[in-house]
Amino acid sequence: MNNEPSTMNKSASDDVISALIGSLSHHHPAVPAAAVDGLVKLGSASVNPLIDAFEASGDQGVQAHIIQALARIGNPKALSLLEDVVGTSVANHCQGNVRRVAARGLGRIGSLAKDAAIIRQAIDKLTWALLTPEDWALRYAAIASLQDIAQPEVMPPLQQALTQESDRVVQARLNRAIAQLQSSS
């Protein structure tokens, strides 16, 4: 009998999460935005259902909302999915934005994680995003995320990027990140 309330609460929570995920495809922009907020408030409980929904959905708009929710939650369970999204080469500008959101999610995971392997994995993917893609905004997001992680091992890739970066906005962001990290160490 003692298990019934927790089972009912889990079932109710699952129903709420399912309803919120279903709302991500609504045509009115305020509805998916509110659903993302709700999923973020539910935190870790919504991570696995969101990952499953991402894999099951072919709708790029729904996938973008899912990535936004996962990035804001910052749970390590989403690390592999966010890495995959950051590494996806896309022609669609909106999908490029999703890559940037995923990069910021990696920064959140890396800054909150206590596990050195998770932090290293996030740093590795963000270093790739900083040094490889042609998308200046993805490089910018990678800088902000590496700065958030604030581990000593983020400094070498930031300094390397500064030597090869041609975009002035990204250069300025690199200089700011490097200066802040140097002053805090």
Side-chain angles (χ1 to χ4, degrees), residues 158-172:
L158 291 172
Q159 290 170 328
Q160 179 185 348
L162 191 57
T163 67
Q164 67 188 47
E165 184 58 58
S166 61
D167 186 284
R168 290 180 189 206
V169 172
V170 179
Q171 286 173 347

Side-chain angles (χ1 to χ4, degrees), residues 96-115:
N97 187 48
V98 173
R99 292 175 77 194
R100 294 174 217 128
V101 170
R104 294 300 289 137
L106 289 174
R108 181 156 174 77
I109 290 169
S111 68
L112 297 174
K114 303 294 183 223
D115 182 331

Side-chain angles (χ1 to χ4, degrees), residues 52 182 184:
D52 293 343
Q182 287 174 335
S184 66

Side-chain angles (χ1 to χ4, degrees), residues 74-96:
N75 187 299
K77 291 179 189 175
L79 184 64
S80 292
L81 176 58
L82 295 176
E83 283 181 311
D84 289 347
V85 171
V86 166
T88 302
S89 180
V90 292
N92 180 326
H93 174 71
C94 294
Q95 286 302 99

Side-chain angles (χ1 to χ4, degrees), residues 132-137 139:
T132 307
E134 293 180 19
D135 179 356
W136 71 268
R139 295 192 310 273

Side-chain angles (χ1 to χ4, degrees), residues 79 110 113-124 149 151 153:
L79 184 64
K114 303 294 183 223
D115 182 331
I118 290 171
I119 296 167
R120 177 81 252 155
Q121 196 174 342
I123 290 172
D124 287 348
I149 294 172
Q151 297 287 322
E153 57 267 33

Side-chain angles (χ1 to χ4, degrees), residues 15-75:
D15 291 345
V16 169
I17 291 168
S18 291
L20 289 170
I21 290 172
S23 298
L24 295 175
S25 62
H26 196 277
H27 68 279
H28 192 284
V31 174
V36 167
D37 289 343
L39 289 160
V40 170
K41 285 179 184 163
L42 291 169
S44 296
S46 61
V47 172
N48 286 335
L50 281 166
I51 292 169
D52 293 343
F54 182 90
E55 292 168 357
S57 177
D59 183 318
Q60 291 183 347
V62 169
Q63 289 179 332
H65 292 301
I66 290 170
I67 294 302
Q68 182 183 27
L70 290 170
R72 287 175 52 196
I73 293 168
N75 187 299

